[in-house]
Amino acid sequence: MKRRNFLSLSALTALAVIAPTQVNAQDYRTTKPSVWTAHTVDDSIKQLYGTATTIEEGVSLSAPDVASNGGAIPVEIQSDIDAKSVAVFQDANPEAAVIVYTVQEGGIVDYSIKMKMKASGTISVIVEGRDGKLYSARKTLDVAIGGCDP
Amino acid sequence: MKVKAKLKNGIVNVKCQAQHEMMPYDAAQKKTGNRENANFITRITATVNGKTVFEVSTSQFLSKNPILKFKFKGADVGDKVEMTWIDRKGNTKSSSTRIK
C-alpha cells in the first residue's frame, strides 16, 4: 500500500513538472498524425482543421514563378490576421503537408522557409484566425529540377 | 544549428539554419531500400526568458539544411534566444544566441 501511494505521488509530481512547458505548446505531429500522411491538400486541411472551406484573402504568399532548384524553394508568408496557426501544403509531393506553425502570443505572421518540391505544382497556405475562420492563399509555380530525389 | 537574432524597431528578427539531411521517405526507399530509414526534423521551438516565442511542426519537405526566418515582439537586446530541434529518430540539438 505504501509503495502504491509513493508511486502515485511521483506520478503527480512528474505531471506537475511537465505541465508548465506544455501550456501554449501544440505538437501537431503527435496530436494530429493523420495530417502528415494525407496525400491530397484538401484531405490534409480537413484532417487538421475539420473543414477545407477557406476564405481567399488577407494572406500574402510569395514564391518564385519558376524555381530552378526544386530542392530549396524560398517561400515567404505574411499576414495581418490575428492568427492561431499557419499551415503550408503543396500538391507535387507524395504527402501534402509541409509545415504547421503555432503562432505564439506576441508572434508575428511573417515567416520564411525553404522547401522541396518534386515537380511543378501549387503551394497553399492556410491561416487559422482566432475568430475560427480559415484564410488562404495559393501560388502555382514551375519547378525546373525536382528536389525530392537524393 | 546556427541562430542569429537582431532587434529592429521593437521586433526581433531571427534567422536560423539547422544542419540536417532531411531525408524523405522516397529517398530513403531509393537509397537504403527501407522507407523507415527516412529521417527529418519534426519540430522546432524557440524560447526567450523561458517563454515560447516560436513553435513549428515540420515534415520531410523542408530543404536539406533548412533555413527558417521568423519575427516576434517582447524581447530586448541581450536576451537569450534558445532554439531546439528534434528529428524523427529522436535526436535533438539546441543552440542559443543573444539578441543584438
Side-chain angles (χ1 to χ4, degrees), chain A residues 29 95 97 100 110 112 116, chain B residues 22 57-61 71:
Chain A
R29 289 214 73 107
E95 289 89 23
V100 182
D110 188 342
S112 155
K116 278 188 282 215
Chain B
M22 301 297 280
S57 306
T58 61
S59 80
Q60 62 272 37
F61 302 129
K71 297 177 181 177

Side-chain angles (χ1 to χ4, degrees), chain A residues 21-43:
Chain A
T21 60
Q22 295 195 332
V23 168
N24 51 5
Q26 172 78 281
D27 185 355
Y28 287 101
R29 289 214 73 107
T30 49
T31 54
K32 303 257 172 95
S34 53
V35 173
W36 309 94
T37 51
H39 297 291
T40 65
V41 176
D42 278 358
D43 195 22

Side-chain angles (χ1 to χ4, degrees), chain A residues 33-72:
Chain A
S34 53
V35 173
W36 309 94
T37 51
H39 297 291
T40 65
V41 176
D42 278 358
D43 195 22
S44 197
I45 297 170
K46 242 178 234 169
Q47 298 289 349
L48 186 59
Y49 296 120
T51 169
T53 329
T54 59
I55 307 162
E56 288 211 19
E57 61 174 30
V59 186
S60 130
L61 161 66
S62 69
D65 291 324
V66 179
S68 52
N69 175 13

Side-chain angles (χ1 to χ4, degrees), chain B residues 5-100:
Chain B
K6 206 168 186 186
L7 188 76
K8 208 175 176 184
N9 302 330
I11 294 169
V12 185
N13 295 264
V14 185
K15 187 179 179 184
C16 68
Q17 181 174 32
Q19 308 293 317
H20 202 286
E21 59 175 349
M22 301 297 280
M23 191 198 276
Y25 292 105
D26 281 10
Q29 176 76 45
K30 248 187 202 169
K31 259 187 177 172
T32 65
N34 187 356
R35 272 175 72 82
E36 291 307 307
N37 282 334
N39 197 12
F40 46 87
I41 294 172
T42 55
R43 194 170 148 78
I44 303 171
T45 54
T47 57
V48 176
N49 305 329
K51 194 180 148 218
T52 307
V53 292
F54 175 74
E55 186 184 30
V56 69
S57 306
T58 61
S59 80
Q60 62 272 37
F61 302 129
L62 289 189
S63 67
K64 186 182 172 187
N65 298 334
I67 297 174
L68 286 97
K69 285 186 218 163
F70 63 94
K71 297 177 181 177
F72 65 91
K73 283 183 209 162
D76 241 320
V77 172
D79 286 353
K80 204 174 172 190
V81 181
E82 276 198 75
M83 294 203 65
T84 308
W85 59 253
I86 182 160
D87 71 10
R88 188 169 172 267
K89 308 243 162 166
N91 302 320
T92 162
K93 200 164 186 185
S94 300
S95 301
S96 65
T97 187
R98 297 222 175 253
I99 297 170
K100 278 180 185 164

Side-chain angles (χ1 to χ4, degrees), chain A residues 27-147:
Chain A
D27 185 355
Y28 287 101
R29 289 214 73 107
T30 49
T31 54
K32 303 257 172 95
S34 53
V35 173
W36 309 94
T37 51
H39 297 291
T40 65
V41 176
D42 278 358
D43 195 22
S44 197
I45 297 170
K46 242 178 234 169
Q47 298 289 349
L48 186 59
Y49 296 120
T51 169
T53 329
T54 59
I55 307 162
E56 288 211 19
E57 61 174 30
V59 186
S60 130
L61 161 66
S62 69
D65 291 324
V66 179
S68 52
N69 175 13
I73 304 167
V75 177
E76 279 175 39
I77 305 140
Q78 278 158 357
S79 175
D80 292 330
I81 296 164
D82 188 12
K84 224 155 96 182
S85 69
V86 177
V88 180
F89 305 92
Q90 47 62 48
D91 60 3
N93 297 345
E95 289 89 23
V98 176
I99 195 163
V100 182
Y101 295 91
T102 313
V103 182
Q104 307 293 328
E105 265 186 57
I108 300 161
V109 182
D110 188 342
Y111 302 119
S112 155
I113 51 166
K114 297 226 169 174
M115 60 181 273
K116 278 188 282 215
M117 270 170 88
K118 203 175 183 176
S120 305
T122 305
I123 300 173
S124 309
V125 175
I126 311 291
V127 174
E128 183 196 19
R130 289 202 191 272
D131 54 5
K133 288 178 187 149
L134 298 179
Y135 302 88
S136 70
R138 271 163 232 275
K139 161 113 190 172
T140 305
L141 68 159
D142 284 330
V143 175
I145 302 165

